Amino acid sequence: MRIVRTIAEVRAAVGDAKAADRSVGLVPTMGAFHEGHLSLMRAAREQTDLVVVSLFVNPTQFAPNEDLSTYPRDEARDAALAAAEGVDILFAPEPAEIYPDGFATTIHVAGITEVLDGASRGPHHFDGVATVVTKLFGIVRPDVALFGQKDAQQVLVVRRVVRDLDLDVRIVACPIVRESDGLALSSRNVYLDREARSQAGALNRALDAGEAAHQAGREIVPAALAVLAEAGIEPEYLELRDAETLEPVARADRDALLLVAARVGAARLIDNHLLTGIPA
Ligand code: AMP
């Protein structure tokens, strides 16, 4: 595996692969790898010939009051894990390589970015995500880009950008990887102390309860909220939304996402379940 820092080096490596008719897979990440990240790398390894992983803690998607400066960083460990998954290129640029002086363009997706995490974290968040992902697509020119369903709204935003800007890349969403108690793996789980860690399992249990209520034809959101309340967690949001448009829905008679965000101890955590539509 090669670790490269410049756009020119990535372009050269990808150019060679494309000239040899090899397909290119991209896994965008912010590092601090866990099994969730590794599952994306494995899927990329299975589906494409040249696997590029980007490791970039993207400053523009953090609000001033968020955890940019404390976000966990360990490039040496990440590089070893990526190499063990058969990744070909780890692209780990400095911020100035991505945002040189004079950088002035923002990709803004309207509508679906204004709710849920867009409302909680502010509009800069998905602007930052859409802009950096579009840049990475321009730099790497992947045939396939892989994202985790853990960040369900992010997947929808990226799909919207690809459709609206006619980008020639196939987006693959991979299943959420969880701990044994159901907690979705996240780089931010390191912020959880013992008490918060045991509390955090309630997020997935709440979504399970919502899913069970859906299957039983009962109200979904109250069932999920009850589990959170019992665990002493007050969510930033817990909502049922159409799985494509993110419009609020009362029932999952079409595919719907049950999404939650909550502060647990020192971490802000998100999770979601896809509820398969049961026509009324
Ligand atoms: P991040 O480094 O947090 O930006 O995540 C990089 C990619 O890994 C994103 O596409 C995430 O959705 C994905 N990811 C993060 N956590 C998980 C998880 N628990 N299961 C599957 N994918 C994940």
Side-chain angles (χ1 to χ4, degrees):
M1 187 185 76
R2 282 178 61 203
I3 301 178
V4 305
R5 311 251 171 232
T6 66
I7 293 167
E9 286 169 293
V10 181
R11 281 194 196 282
V14 169
D16 288 347
K18 291 207 176 248
D21 220 14
R22 299 175 74 214
S23 60
V24 177
L26 171 66
V27 179
T29 81
M30 300 204 302
F33 293 157
H34 51 62
E35 273 297 319
H37 298 110
L38 303 185
S39 73
L40 302 183
M41 295 177 205
R42 261 169 236 145
R45 187 66 284 162
E46 280 167 19
Q47 296 179 33
T48 57
D49 299 319
L50 183 85
V51 176
V52 181
V53 172
S54 60
L55 193 180
F56 182 60
V57 183
N58 177 35
T60 63
Q61 70 191 66
F62 289 76
N65 64 339
E66 290 185 334
D67 56 345
L68 175 63
S69 62
T70 54
Y71 195 83
R73 291 169 168 86
D74 188 345
E75 186 186 301
R77 176 179 172 276
D78 286 348
L81 289 169
E85 296 300 336
V87 169
D88 297 297
I89 294 174
L90 186 67
F91 175 44
E94 291 297 326
E97 181 73 4
I98 299 298
Y99 301 114
D101 283 349
F103 187 89
T105 299
T106 296
I107 305 290
H108 175 72
V109 176
I112 56 169
T113 61
E114 286 149 27
V115 298
L116 302 168
D117 258 29
S120 280
R121 301 188 64 178
H124 68 279
H125 174 63
F126 285 115
D127 286 359
V129 169
T131 304
V132 81
V133 167
T134 305
K135 270 193 75 104
L136 289 167
F137 289 172
I139 294 164
V140 178
R141 294 187 296 136
D143 299 285
V144 181
L146 301 96
F147 294 84
Q149 185 62 22
K150 154 100 187 322
D151 298 276
Q153 191 175 8
Q154 172 170 278
V155 171
L156 291 172
V157 169
V158 171
R159 287 195 192 282
R160 188 79 257 165
V161 170
V162 166
R163 229 174 292 150
D164 288 353
L165 300 183
D166 304 299
L167 304 183
D168 192 12
V169 54
R170 184 161 63 85
I171 303 302
V172 171
C174 296
I176 302 175
V177 180
R178 299 178 179 281
E179 301 279 7
S180 55
D181 70 339
L183 175 65
L185 297 193
S186 163
S187 304
R188 292 189 166 97
N189 290 353
V190 298
Y191 300 152
L192 298 168
D193 63 17
R194 269 225 339 237
E195 191 190 334
R197 173 62 190 80
S198 71
Q199 209 185 4
L203 259 56
N204 180 58
R205 285 205 310 280
L207 300 178
D208 275 342
E211 197 165 345
H214 169 55
Q215 294 298 336
R218 289 186 282 112
E219 280 212 74
I220 297 168
V221 170
L225 282 173
V227 173
L228 287 188
E230 201 175 313
I233 295 173
E234 197 178 317
E236 275 179 21
Y237 61 75
L238 190 155
E239 294 188 40
L240 186 67
R241 298 227 168 213
D242 182 277
E244 295 286 318
T245 64
L246 292 186
E247 289 292 324
V249 290
R251 282 176 307 279
D253 41 20
R254 304 189 335 152
D255 283 3
L257 286 163
L258 184 60
L259 310 104
V260 64
R263 250 178 207 290
V264 182
R268 180 183 185 278
L269 304 177
I270 60 170
D271 199 352
N272 69 87
H273 280 198
L274 178 68
L275 307 191
T276 309
I278 303 175

